[in-house]
Amino acid sequence: MAGFRDGLKLGFKEGETAFLLLLLKRRLGVLSLSHEQRVSRLSVDQLEDLGEALLDFTAMADLERHLAGLS
């Protein structure tokens, strides 16, 4: 049963990551491969924080500041 739950969590994270990348591209334009990779490595909690923060983003610098604050 633990394997099933782990699979669900992984699927949820992948879906949430893909959705956030889509929203970021819609808001900011083309993302660099580096930005996409950094977003893909975020935890579920960090993805949720990013999802909320991106509502206020107006420029790529906003994403960069947010990601820098996570490391």
Side-chain angles (χ1 to χ4, degrees):
M1 193 65 157
F4 179 73
R5 273 187 247 129
D6 290 343
L8 284 176
K9 287 180 189 176
L10 180 60
F12 175 78
K13 182 183 181 306
E14 289 174 358
E16 189 168 5
T17 300
F19 185 62
L20 280 175
L21 288 171
L22 176 73
L23 292 176
L24 286 165
K25 290 174 188 175
R26 176 80 185 241
R27 172 74 58 152
L28 303 174
V30 176
L31 299 178
S32 70
L33 179 59
S34 173
H35 284 123
E36 288 192 28
Q37 289 172 337
R38 289 182 70 191
V39 169
S40 295
R41 288 191 300 261
L42 297 178
S43 70
V44 171
D45 288 339
Q46 290 171 323
L47 288 169
E48 290 173 358
D49 290 342
L50 175 59
E52 187 174 334
L54 81 82
L55 296 172
D56 297 322
F57 290 177
T58 58
M60 192 65 69
D62 296 320
L63 174 60
E64 292 167 359
R65 271 192 297 278
H66 185 85
L67 292 174
L70 297 175
S71 23

